[in-house]
Amino acid sequence: MLPDKFGKFGLFGGKFVPETLMMALEELEKEYKVAQKDTKFKKELDNLLEVYAGRPTPLYLARNISKKIGRKIYLKREDLLHTGAHKINNTLGQALLAVKMGKRRIIAETGAGQHGLATATSAALFGLTCDVYMGEEDIHRQSLNVFKMKLLGARVIPVYSGSKTLKDATSEAIRDWVTNVRNTYYIIGSAIGPHPYPMIVRDFQSVIGKETKKQFMKYEKRLPDYMVACVGGGSNAMGFFHPFFKTNVKLIGVEAAGLGLNTEKHGASLCKGSVGVLHGTKSYLLQDKFGQVKIAHSISAGLDYPGVGPEHSYYKDTKRAEYVSVTDKEALEGFKMLSEIEGIIPALEPSHAIYYAVKKLAPKISRNKIIVVCLSGRGDKDIDIIKNESH
Amino acid sequence: MNRIDKKFRELREKNKKAFIAFIMAGDPSLGVTKKLIFELSSKGADIIELGVPFSDPMADGPTIQKSSERGLKSKTTLASVFNLVRNARLQIQTPIVFLIYYNLVFHYGLEKFINTAVDSGVDGVVIPDLPPEESIELCKIAKKNRFSIIHLLAPTSSIDRIKKVAKASSGFIYYVSLTGTTGARKKLAEDIGAKLRAIKNITKIPVCVGFGISTPGQVKEIQKVSDGAIVGSAIIKIIENNIGKKDLVKKVGNFVKTLKGGG
């Protein structure tokens, strides 16, 4: 079972952090192991996921799209969760861990604001202090989520360095953690960062894949043929894929091609990056020929990150999953399609996965094949961007 | 014996402690950096710590972040910093260590990095995001080449970790004086003395202290309890405030002289 005891997924992962944080990571790993075996912890989390977050989420056969393309497409409806995205699966789990470890202050980084919102929500629930780092650029792009976080009692700290997006918010959160490590718990929002974070986030998000498996078996009496999810840092995709690791189901991760893979403006670390080390982990990374980290671009703030979770890099190199990309323009088309035909307004992130599944994948597979797409979040937060795009 | 070990032996014989000065290569330009290296050396820096600019310096506070950004803006690359040291080596023998984030080393190639470093006259490297768990391969190559891998210890390091870090380290150990990023602080942390005694009980490798040290008084205080004091952000501030001015180099030199005078 990966990661190994060094926190490695094959060549990827590990703990590339300042010495100051090593103790905190060791402590977290130990506490997490205890929590995993603690039936009370599991029961409490399962209960919260059910009565507070709204699990299980439906697995919906998208009837109109399926009819239109002549192949069945199911949607795993993470968009129906409390706070509007899959992020709450992870933040409830980690906030519960923080409480168990006696840490009363929570920090987080956020791009689109969904993770920040889910963290602020979980902090409010457990009565914890919460500071969220967010790039200034993202604060402008996602003002609704900023307002919500403040309503929930969190402090949103703008980050002005570098590209002023998720990458820099993450660096700033790490700097805070280095400073306040003794009393602060850092809730990382994606399957990235130093070990044990990629494992912890994957485990808490695996509820998506486990439910999908059960529901799909109930409806179709078999496993799906294809599973498609968007990949930024890759937490929804990893949670969706992981329970299917040992099956023959084809797993497809969709990255942000932004303005195009041949431009400098995209977020496709797996499709176009090379192996490097950022934010504590070894993984595929967008970097220049000198090893300086490049600035990612995507219309969706949640995919606007130059790195990716190390387990995805492992899936790529071992060919367990295939990674493809979809442009800003195509994602907008996916967004409109799902809204108009199916009556579901998706977030821009999973709009990438929708577009790929419907427009690229479905036409080339036979009619008896079934696709499941992880609809990781809803589109409320993106309404302003869509408004501007349609002008 | 490499230049770092020689320097510490020399200091020990004179019953003195090291003063280590940090500057960022290419801030504001490689030309100025070269002049600064000579100036630091002549004003008595025992070791020069030379930063290689990186896009995401996660262990650094605002002062060194900005310095790193200026270094990148002046198109400083690892290769150009190697050249700079190779050039400077024709005139000075002061030990020079790099402060560099791991991605730049990894991307350059571990073997190639150490070979080029040794060949250029770099004596060791501090990699803030590379704990001993991840540095095994690099240490192996370094050992063959008598190149120092300077690991860090922190206030949060347990006895077990101190042992692990000491075992992997050569040249000296960099003790981070506080939980936090680089940058000047008004007061030193109170537990430095006790922590250093614990480290000294475990290893004979020299231990130098950095992060938050900015005044002659603090340098003196640190040197009393350790093998040396490292000053970075306070020097970078002087550079930042004098960019474009004729006497930048002289001002940095004067500041270093006062800091050194504390010891």
Side-chain angles (χ1 to χ4, degrees), chain B residues 6-48:
Chain B
K6 215 187 269 173
K7 173 59 79 177
F8 278 106
R9 195 179 62 181
E10 193 184 296
L11 287 166
R12 239 186 341 263
E13 281 164 2
K14 291 185 195 155
N15 211 7
K16 281 190 164 170
K17 300 296 175 68
F19 173 75
I20 301 173
F22 170 86
I23 52 171
M24 181 67 71
D27 175 19
S29 70
L30 281 171
V32 173
T33 304
K34 193 175 167 189
K35 286 182 196 152
L36 283 170
I37 290 176
F38 294 142
E39 181 74 7
L40 294 175
S41 177
S42 77
K43 289 293 186 300
D46 296 300
I47 295 172
I48 294 167

Side-chain angles (χ1 to χ4, degrees), chain A residues 6 8 13-23 26 161-162 167-168 171-172 174-175 178-179 181-182 274-280 282 285 287-293, chain B residues 53-61 65 69 72 76-77 102-104 106-107 128-134 152-158 161 164-165 176 178-181 191:
Chain A
F6 304 106
K8 293 276 163 74
K15 291 183 196 175
F16 296 86
V17 295
E19 173 64 23
T20 312
L21 297 180
M22 289 302 283
M23 272 307 283
E26 284 170 14
S161 55
K167 164 174 93 91
D168 310 282
S171 294
E172 209 50 37
I174 292 173
R175 291 185 187 113
V178 169
T179 309
V181 60
R182 289 187 173 105
S274 55
V275 180
V277 174
L278 178 69
H279 296 143
K282 190 185 279 181
L285 180 65
Q287 52 187 332
D288 69 12
K289 61 179 177 182
F290 302 111
Q292 305 292 351
V293 181
Chain B
F54 181 53
S55 52
D56 296 79
M58 69 173 173
D60 285 303
Q65 282 177 47
E69 278 172 27
L72 287 174
T76 306
T77 63
Y102 187 57
N103 194 51
L104 296 181
F106 177 75
H107 193 267
D129 56 347
L130 193 72
E133 285 84 345
E134 304 288 357
L152 296 98
L153 278 170
T156 50
S157 305
S158 62
R161 292 208 56 81
K164 199 181 269 184
V165 166
V176 175
L178 44 84
T179 53
T181 52
D191 60 352

Side-chain angles (χ1 to χ4, degrees), chain B residues 190-206:
Chain B
E190 277 165 14
D191 60 352
I192 295 179
K195 198 80 191 182
L196 284 167
R197 275 193 297 280
I199 299 170
K200 286 301 217 178
N201 274 335
I202 289 170
T203 178
K204 288 199 162 63
I205 301 173

